Amino acid sequence: MKIHFCSFASENFICRQNLQKEFLLESGFSQENIYLLNPSNLNKDFYKYQPNASELNCFGWFTFKPYLLISILEKLEEGDILLYMDVNDKPLKGIKKYLENFFLENKKINILAPKTNYPNIKFLSRFHKQNLSIELIFSSFINFQPEAGTIAIK
């Protein structure tokens, strides 16, 4: 079981991505298992479905994530793990061992997405804020959303 890592950085975040890579190497990741992606990895197939994707709209409102994750997952061996992190997230030492242990101990789980520590209500859309209901307010304070910025897939 190999653990691979990927992140995506637009031009404004390349320095942050390089810093993230340094943390990964210090944490025991191999250079050949680190995929540093950028807009040049989004080919014509992506833009066919997201023709207006650009830096201004986070490359299709973050629809690049599943596109790029699938492109890497297709290359990996069965049982390997892919860890994706947004470039502003710092991988902590021990993350590699944690993922190895987690997936060995939980053989039926193939995706690990941590929860955030902020309630949904902070990140409601303008539409939902204008159309609040008591149910929405209640569920927003007690439910936490999965953090799309970090995900591990086996």
Side-chain angles (χ1 to χ4, degrees):
M1 166 193 333
K2 292 181 185 173
I3 299 184
H4 305 265
F5 176 89
C6 73
S7 67
F8 177 86
S10 61
E11 188 177 322
N12 295 335
F13 291 93
I14 295 296
C15 290
R16 181 66 190 143
Q17 191 177 46
N18 290 329
L19 184 60
Q20 192 180 51
K21 178 184 170 187
E22 289 178 31
F23 288 125
L24 289 164
L25 293 172
E26 290 173 12
S27 299
F29 282 82
S30 302
Q31 174 71 43
E32 62 271 7
N33 295 338
I34 298 173
Y35 300 85
L36 302 181
L37 307 173
N38 59 58
S40 69
N41 298 106
L42 301 172
N43 65 24
K44 65 181 180 180
D45 290 333
F46 174 78
Y47 286 106
K48 177 179 161 185
Y49 296 104
Q50 294 294 334
N52 299 315
S54 68
E55 177 106 30
L56 291 174
N57 64 18
C58 302
F59 292 93
W61 305 111
F62 304 104
T63 56
F64 67 84
K65 288 181 184 182
Y67 176 82
L68 292 175
L69 290 174
I70 289 170
S71 71
I72 295 172
L73 286 168
E74 289 174 338
K75 299 174 188 175
L76 302 184
E77 297 290 323
E78 183 75 27
D80 282 2
I81 297 167
L82 178 61
L83 172 64
Y84 171 88
M85 292 180 88
D86 284 344
V87 293
N88 282 325
D89 293 336
K90 178 183 175 184
L92 299 177
K93 290 187 178 179
I95 186 69
K96 188 175 178 189
K97 192 67 176 165
Y98 173 80
L99 291 173
E100 287 173 355
N101 290 338
F102 178 86
F103 284 111
L104 285 173
E105 292 171 10
N106 300 281
K107 296 192 185 300
K108 293 183 179 183
I109 296 177
N110 293 314
I111 297 177
L112 177 63
K115 290 184 173 191
T116 62
N117 60 354
Y118 50 81
N120 290 339
I121 200 156
K122 289 183 181 178
F123 299 94
L124 286 178
S125 70
R126 187 177 321 147
F127 170 82
H128 287 99
K129 285 180 182 176
Q130 292 170 349
N131 297 288
L132 281 178
S133 67
I134 192 69
E135 293 86 3
L136 180 60
I137 291 171
F138 181 70
S139 67
S140 293
F141 278 116
I142 63 168
N143 292 323
F144 293 87
Q145 60 191 22
E147 172 58 77
T150 302
I151 187 168
I153 305 171
K154 178 173 75 166

